[in-house]
Amino acid sequence: MSKNNNNNNKSVLRLKDYRVRSSDSLSKVVLLHSLKDDSGKFNPCKGGNKHTWFRRNVKSVAFMFVLTAFMFLLDSVMVSVFGSINFHGSSSTRNSDGREDSVAHKERPTVEMYGRLLNLASSALAEKEFKQESLNFWEEPYQEASKWTPCADKRYPTSLGKPGESNGYIMVSANGGLNQQRVAICNAVAVASLLNATLVLPKFLYSNVWKDPSQFGDIYQEDYFMRMLKDDVHIVQELPLHLKSLDIEAIGSLITDADIVKEAKPIDYIRTVLPLLMKNKVVHFLGFGNRLGFDPLPPELQRLRCKCNFHALKFVPKIQEVGSLLIKRIRKFKYHAAERQLDKQLLGDFTPSISSKEDYVERGSSRYLALHLRFEEDMVAYSQCDFGGGEHEKKELEAYREVHFPLLIERLKNSKPVSPSELRKLGKCPLTPEEAVLVLAALGFKRGTYIYLAGSRIYGGSSRMHPFTNLYPNLVTKETLLTYNELAPFRNFSSQLAALDFIACATSDVFAMTDSGSQLSSLVSGFRTYYGDGHAPTLRPNKKRLAAIFSENSSIGWTTFEDRVRKMIEEGQRVRVRGSGRSIYRQPRCPECMCRS
C-alpha cells in the first residue's frame, strides 16, 4: 500500500511539474490522455504498477519522446527567430520614434530585478492555460466611452470660416520625428487661422538624429489635406514667385523657438507675429515645436486642430498598403466582421475586409495587443535611474550622457543630486521590459497572446528582453512580419517606418504603453479614443503607483500583485472629459472635438 502511494505521489508531482514548465497545448493533451483510465476518466494514479502502466502505454510514451525531441527542435527554431528581432544589435536600426542608432553593443547576461515575481507569473500563466477565463482588458470597462463620437469635421453656425483676404503667408519648417511633426502641422493650421494667413504646406527639417529626408508629400496626402481644410484655411503648395526671392531672415521674418515661448497663448502670436506678417507678408517658423498652448484657446481653433489631426492628415497609399499588409500578418488574415472607422481612417482603400459574416464566424478573429515599450538607450541614460545592470551599466550610461546630453551634465553639476531609488519612487524611471511583462501577466493576458512591439531598439538587447519573451513568446515587430523587400522602400526613412508602427498600434485590439508622456503613445491613444467607438481600450500605467507595488517584490503575493495592478490600470481607463491645459491630441473628449450622445 505504501509503495502504491509513493508511485501515486510521484505521478501527481510529475503532472504538477509539467503544468508549470510546459507551454505546448498538444503535449498537455497527450499527457492527460495517458493518465485516463479505461472508462475515459482522468486518473493520475492510473496503473498502480509502473511496469504495467508502461507496457499498456508504450505507444503514448514513444510518442511523447518523439514529441519532446520535436519541441526541443522547435525551441531552437524559435530562439533563432526571436534572435533575428534586432532589439539591440550592431547594425543600423531605428527606435520607436524612428531615430537611428548604429552604436554596437555586445550581448550581456540577462538582468532580472524581480526574479521571484517572474516565477510567480510563470506559474500563474501556466495555470491559466487550463482555464476558460474571459479577460476584461480586451474591452473598454466603461460604457460611457461609447457615448462620445467624432465630430470635429462638422461645420457649426459659429465657425469662423476662411477669411476673405489673407494677411500674408506662413511657412513652417517642423523638426523632430513623425509625431512631433504631426503636432507642429496641426498647430500651424490653427495659427494660420488665428492670424488670417495663408499656410504654405509645411516642410520637415533634416536632422542628424532622425536622418530622414522625407517631406510632407512622402508621408501625407497633400491634395486630401488641402481639400479637407479648404473651408477653414487658405493653403498653398508654395510661396508666390514675388516672395520666393526675399531673404526672410534679413527682413526679420524668421521666427525660431527662442522667439515664441512653449505653450504660447494666442495673444503671444498676435503681439509678436502679426505685425511682422502685416509688414512683410511672410513669416517663417523654424522649428516650431510645442509652440501653441491648449488653453485658453477659442473653441473654433481647438476644433480646427482636431480636424487637422484626426481627419486631414491621411497617410499616402504606399504607407497605407504596407500598413494593411502588416495588420493582415499580425491577425493571420482574420478580421473584425464590421468595418471600423479607425481602420478606414488609417488604411483608406487598403482597409482589410472579409467576404461575408459566415466566413468571419468560420475563420474566427485573431486579436493582438500592441505595446509601445520605451526603453531605448537615450531615454534610459537621460533618466539617471538604476536598472540592475551593475557597474557596467552605470559606466555605459554615464558615457552616453556625456556624449549626447552635455546640457544635462552641466545642469546636474549645479543641482542637488537625486538618488536612483528616489527617482524610482517618484515614478521618473522608464519601465523595463521585465516590469512591462509583469504588468501584462498581472492583467491576465495569456501566454499565447500575440504582441506587436512598436520599435525594437531596446537597451540591453535580447538579454533584456529574455524575461519578456520567456513569458510571451509570440512577440513580433514590423521587421519580423514584413520581408526585406517589403520594408526596403522605407528603410532609410525613419518617419515612414514610424508611420507603420503608428498604424499597427492604433488599430490593435488593445494598446499598452509604458510612458504616457511619449508623443507616439499620446497620439495613438487619442486616435483610439476618437475613432474607437468605445471599443479600443488603452492600458496606461501610473509609474509612481507601480513603483510602490514593485518595491514590495520580495514579499508581495501574486494575487495581491494582480489586484493592485488591475486597479491601477482600471483607474487610468476611466472616461474623463479633457481637463484644462491637457493635450487635445491625447484627450479629444471635449465639446470642441467630439460629440456626446
Side-chain angles (χ1 to χ4, degrees), residues 352-383:
S353 61
I354 58 174
S355 58
S356 67
K357 187 174 182 180
E358 289 73 20
D359 184 45
Y360 169 77
V361 173
E362 180 182 341
R363 295 165 67 190
S365 173
S366 179
R367 299 184 296 188
Y368 76 98
L369 177 148
L371 173 66
H372 187 207
L373 180 56
R374 293 215 67 199
F375 200 69
E376 300 92 354
E377 186 169 19
D378 57 348
M379 187 173 187
V380 170
Y382 195 86
S383 72

Coordinates of all heavy atoms in Angstrom, one line a residue, residues 352-383:
P352 N -8.6 46.2 -44.6 CA -8.9 44.7 -44.8 C -10.4 44.5 -44.6 O -11.1 45.2 -43.9 CB -8.1 44.0 -43.6 CG -7.1 45.0 -43.2 CD -7.6 46.4 -43.5
S353 N -10.9 43.5 -45.4 CA -12.3 43.2 -45.3 C -12.5 41.7 -45.5 O -11.5 41.0 -45.9 CB -13.1 43.9 -46.4 OG -12.6 43.5 -47.7
I354 N -13.6 41.2 -45.2 CA -13.9 39.8 -45.4 C -15.1 39.6 -46.3 O -15.9 40.6 -46.5 CB -14.2 39.1 -44.0 CG1 -15.4 39.8 -43.3 CG2 -13.0 39.1 -43.1 CD1 -15.8 39.1 -42.0
S355 N -15.3 38.5 -46.9 CA -16.3 38.3 -47.9 C -17.7 38.2 -47.3 O -18.7 38.7 -47.9 CB -16.0 37.0 -48.7 OG -16.0 35.9 -47.8
S356 N -17.9 37.7 -46.1 CA -19.2 37.5 -45.5 C -19.1 37.3 -44.0 O -18.1 37.0 -43.5 CB -19.9 36.3 -46.2 OG -19.3 35.1 -45.8
K357 N -20.2 37.5 -43.4 CA -20.3 37.3 -41.9 C -20.1 35.8 -41.6 O -19.4 35.5 -40.6 CB -21.7 37.7 -41.4 CG -21.7 37.7 -39.9 CD -23.0 38.3 -39.4 CE -23.1 38.3 -37.9 NZ -24.4 38.9 -37.4
E358 N -20.6 34.9 -42.5 CA -20.4 33.5 -42.3 C -18.9 33.1 -42.3 O -18.4 32.3 -41.5 CB -21.2 32.7 -43.3 CG -22.7 32.7 -43.1 CD -23.3 34.1 -43.5 OE1 -22.6 34.8 -44.3 OE2 -24.4 34.4 -43.1
D359 N -18.2 33.7 -43.3 CA -16.8 33.5 -43.4 C -16.0 33.9 -42.1 O -15.1 33.3 -41.7 CB -16.2 34.2 -44.6 CG -14.8 33.9 -44.9 OD1 -14.4 32.8 -44.8 OD2 -14.0 34.9 -45.1
Y360 N -16.5 35.1 -41.6 CA -15.9 35.6 -40.3 C -16.1 34.6 -39.2 O -15.2 34.3 -38.4 CB -16.5 37.0 -40.0 CG -16.2 37.5 -38.6 CD1 -14.9 38.0 -38.4 CD2 -17.1 37.4 -37.6 CE1 -14.6 38.5 -37.1 CE2 -16.8 37.8 -36.3 CZ -15.5 38.4 -36.1 OH -15.2 38.8 -34.8
V361 N -17.3 34.1 -39.1 CA -17.6 33.2 -38.0 C -16.8 31.9 -38.1 O -16.3 31.3 -37.1 CB -19.1 32.8 -37.9 CG1 -19.4 31.7 -36.9 CG2 -19.9 34.1 -37.6
E362 N -16.7 31.4 -39.4 CA -15.9 30.2 -39.6 C -14.4 30.3 -39.3 O -13.8 29.5 -38.8 CB -16.1 29.8 -41.1 CG -15.4 28.5 -41.5 CD -15.6 28.1 -42.9 OE1 -16.5 28.7 -43.6 OE2 -14.8 27.3 -43.4
R363 N -13.9 31.5 -39.7 CA -12.4 31.6 -39.6 C -12.0 32.2 -38.2 O -10.9 32.1 -37.8 CB -11.9 32.5 -40.7 CG -12.1 31.9 -42.1 CD -11.9 33.0 -43.2 NE -10.6 33.5 -43.2 CZ -10.2 34.5 -44.0 NH1 -11.1 35.2 -44.7 NH2 -9.0 34.9 -44.0
G364 N -12.9 32.9 -37.6 CA -12.6 33.4 -36.3 C -11.9 34.8 -36.4 O -11.7 35.3 -37.4
S365 N -11.4 35.3 -35.2 CA -10.8 36.6 -35.2 C -9.5 36.5 -34.4 O -9.5 36.0 -33.2 CB -11.7 37.6 -34.6 OG -11.0 38.9 -34.4
S366 N -8.4 36.9 -34.9 CA -7.1 36.8 -34.2 C -6.8 38.2 -33.6 O -6.5 39.1 -34.3 CB -6.0 36.4 -35.2 OG -4.8 36.4 -34.5
R367 N -6.9 38.3 -32.3 CA -6.7 39.5 -31.6 C -5.2 39.7 -31.3 O -4.5 38.7 -31.1 CB -7.5 39.6 -30.3 CG -9.0 39.5 -30.6 CD -9.8 39.7 -29.3 NE -9.6 38.6 -28.4 CZ -10.3 38.4 -27.3 NH1 -11.3 39.3 -27.0 NH2 -10.0 37.4 -26.4
Y368 N -4.8 41.0 -31.1 CA -3.4 41.2 -30.7 C -3.3 42.5 -29.9 O -4.2 43.4 -29.9 CB -2.5 41.3 -31.9 CG -2.5 42.6 -32.7 CD1 -1.6 43.6 -32.5 CD2 -3.5 42.8 -33.7 CE1 -1.7 44.8 -33.2 CE2 -3.6 43.9 -34.4 CZ -2.6 44.9 -34.2 OH -2.7 46.1 -34.9
L369 N -2.3 42.5 -29.1 CA -2.0 43.7 -28.2 C -0.8 44.3 -28.8 O 0.2 43.7 -29.2 CB -1.8 43.2 -26.8 CG -1.4 44.2 -25.7 CD1 -1.9 43.8 -24.4 CD2 0.2 44.4 -25.6
A370 N -0.8 45.7 -28.9 CA 0.3 46.4 -29.3 C 1.0 47.1 -28.1 O 0.3 47.7 -27.3 CB -0.1 47.5 -30.4
L371 N 2.3 47.1 -28.0 CA 3.0 47.6 -26.9 C 4.0 48.6 -27.4 O 4.9 48.3 -28.2 CB 3.7 46.5 -26.1 CG 4.6 46.9 -25.0 CD1 3.8 47.6 -23.9 CD2 5.4 45.7 -24.5
H372 N 3.9 49.8 -26.8 CA 5.0 50.8 -27.1 C 5.9 50.8 -25.8 O 5.6 51.4 -24.8 CB 4.4 52.2 -27.3 CG 5.4 53.2 -27.7 ND1 5.3 54.6 -27.4 CD2 6.6 53.1 -28.3 CE1 6.4 55.2 -27.9 NE2 7.2 54.3 -28.4
L373 N 7.0 50.1 -25.9 CA 7.9 49.9 -24.8 C 9.1 50.8 -25.0 O 10.0 50.6 -25.8 CB 8.4 48.4 -24.9 CG 9.4 48.0 -23.8 CD1 8.9 48.2 -22.4 CD2 9.8 46.5 -24.0
R374 N 9.0 51.9 -24.2 CA 10.1 53.0 -24.4 C 11.2 52.7 -23.4 O 11.3 53.1 -22.3 CB 9.5 54.3 -24.0 CG 8.4 54.8 -25.0 CD 8.5 56.3 -25.2 NE 9.7 56.8 -25.8 CZ 10.2 58.0 -25.7 NH1 9.5 58.9 -25.0 NH2 11.3 58.3 -26.3
F375 N 12.2 51.9 -24.0 CA 13.3 51.5 -23.2 C 14.6 51.6 -24.1 O 15.4 50.7 -24.1 CB 13.2 50.1 -22.6 CG 14.1 49.9 -21.4 CD1 13.9 50.5 -20.2 CD2 15.2 49.0 -21.5 CE1 14.8 50.3 -19.1 CE2 16.0 48.7 -20.5 CZ 15.8 49.4 -19.3
E376 N 14.6 52.7 -24.9 CA 15.8 53.0 -25.7 C 16.9 53.5 -24.9 O 16.7 54.1 -23.8 CB 15.4 53.9 -26.9 CG 14.3 53.4 -27.8 CD 12.9 53.9 -27.3 OE1 12.8 54.5 -26.3 OE2 12.0 53.6 -28.1
E377 N 18.1 53.5 -25.4 CA 19.3 53.9 -24.7 C 19.3 55.3 -24.3 O 19.7 55.7 -23.2 CB 20.6 53.6 -25.5 CG 21.9 53.8 -24.6 CD 23.1 53.3 -25.3 OE1 23.1 53.1 -26.5 OE2 24.1 53.1 -24.6
D378 N 18.8 56.2 -25.2 CA 18.8 57.6 -24.9 C 17.8 57.9 -23.7 O 18.2 58.7 -22.8 CB 18.4 58.5 -26.1 CG 17.1 58.1 -26.7 OD1 16.5 57.0 -26.3 OD2 16.6 58.8 -27.6
M379 N 16.7 57.3 -23.7 CA 15.7 57.5 -22.6 C 16.2 56.9 -21.3 O 16.1 57.6 -20.2 CB 14.4 56.9 -23.0 CG 13.3 57.2 -22.0 SD 11.7 56.7 -22.5 CE 10.6 57.4 -21.3
V380 N 16.8 55.8 -21.4 CA 17.4 55.1 -20.2 C 18.5 56.0 -19.6 O 18.5 56.2 -18.4 CB 17.9 53.7 -20.5 CG1 18.7 53.1 -19.4 CG2 16.7 52.8 -20.9
A381 N 19.4 56.5 -20.4 CA 20.5 57.3 -20.0 C 20.0 58.6 -19.4 O 20.5 59.1 -18.3 CB 21.5 57.5 -21.1
Y382 N 19.1 59.2 -20.0 CA 18.6 60.6 -19.6 C 17.9 60.5 -18.2 O 17.9 61.4 -17.5 CB 17.6 61.1 -20.6 CG 17.4 62.6 -20.5 CD1 18.2 63.6 -21.0 CD2 16.3 63.1 -19.7 CE1 18.0 64.9 -20.9 CE2 16.0 64.4 -19.5 CZ 16.9 65.3 -20.1 OH 16.6 66.7 -19.9
S383 N 17.3 59.3 -18.0 CA 16.5 59.2 -16.7 C 17.4 59.2 -15.5 O 16.9 59.5 -14.4 CB 15.7 57.9 -16.8 OG 16.5 56.8 -16.6

